[in-house]
Amino acid sequence: WLARPERDAEERPDMAIDALNIPKGAVVADVGCGPGYMTQRLAKKVGPDGLVYGEDIQPQMLNLLLKNMRAQGFKNVNAVLGTDTDPKLPKGAIDLILLVDVYHEFSHPQQMLAGMRDALRPGGQLVLLEYRAEDPNVPIREVHKMTVPQARKEIEPEGFTFDKSIEVLPWQHIIIF
């Protein structure tokens, strides 16, 4: 599922990354990175002077991440083994944290949000890409979808301020805090 051939057409990941206006040299994190589908796009976007933390709670995924990043020649990716309560990201060091279809999977969202909030620099952004629950045509099980109001209701009380929702992707919201 994470590396299916049709994913590019279905989700338009490059369009999502472009919509975020991430500058060269930025420090970003891909939380729940899996084998690095979005991590490699982030690594390309921030360039060799930037840094990407690929975070996951599964060591097997981080092994795949590092293998994939080496194969593609990326040297600006660090793997981070988090837990289900702590992303283990460096404090105050990150400009943008990206969660792609991950937030709704958290078993301890408040603790994870606290850890991510601590990892962001002042003015840093938390970005969720989540399948649109409002759209019955998105062919994903309801348990894997979120509405923008639902995301706001869960994330704003944890110290984040909603900025905007970008609605350019075929199936997902880009929700920026």
Side-chain angles (χ1 to χ4, degrees):
W1 178 254
L2 296 176
R4 65 192 186 282
E6 61 275 9
R7 188 171 179 188
D8 283 356
E10 291 173 351
E11 296 184 12
R12 307 289 305 271
D14 294 325
M15 182 183 284
I17 297 295
D18 287 346
L20 298 176
N21 297 313
I22 301 168
K24 294 285 185 201
V27 178
V28 300
D30 183 5
V31 171
C33 66
Y37 180 78
M38 294 298 279
T39 311
Q40 56 111 4
R41 287 167 171 80
L42 291 168
K44 183 177 180 183
K45 189 73 172 176
V46 302
D49 293 330
L51 179 61
V52 180
Y53 290 98
E55 187 274 356
D56 209 289
I57 63 170
Q58 299 178 52
Q60 310 90 314
M61 287 294 180
L62 293 177
N63 290 337
L64 283 172
L65 169 74
L66 292 174
K67 178 182 173 187
N68 291 337
M69 295 306 105
R70 280 192 302 271
Q72 295 176 51
F74 289 112
K75 296 180 175 154
N76 60 344
V77 175
N78 289 349
V80 177
L81 181 62
T83 69
D84 63 349
T85 59
D86 186 351
K88 303 284 185 179
L89 296 169
K91 303 222 181 296
I94 299 175
D95 299 304
L96 183 142
I97 297 174
L98 179 65
L99 293 88
V100 179
D101 306 319
V102 170
Y103 175 78
H104 68 270
E105 300 285 348
F106 288 162
S107 57
H108 302 281
Q110 292 161 325
Q111 291 94 327
M112 289 295 287
L113 287 168
M116 289 184 282
R117 188 181 59 244
D118 289 346
L120 287 169
R121 290 183 176 150
Q125 296 178 310
L126 176 72
V127 179
L128 277 63
L129 266 69
E130 287 286 345
Y131 290 108
R132 291 191 308 269
E134 304 89 336
D135 187 348
N137 296 316
V138 174
I140 303 295
R141 292 176 40 207
E142 291 300 315
V143 70
H144 297 294
K145 295 180 176 183
M146 290 188 81
T147 66
V148 173
Q150 178 186 8
R152 291 185 68 176
K153 183 178 180 181
E154 294 187 27
I155 294 174
E156 287 179 318
E158 302 307 319
F160 292 89
T161 303
F162 176 74
D163 181 21
K164 61 187 168 185
S165 177
I166 302 172
E167 304 295 334
V168 297
L169 303 178
W171 290 351
Q172 297 156 300
H173 299 291
I174 303 172
I175 309 169
I176 303 174
F177 294 89

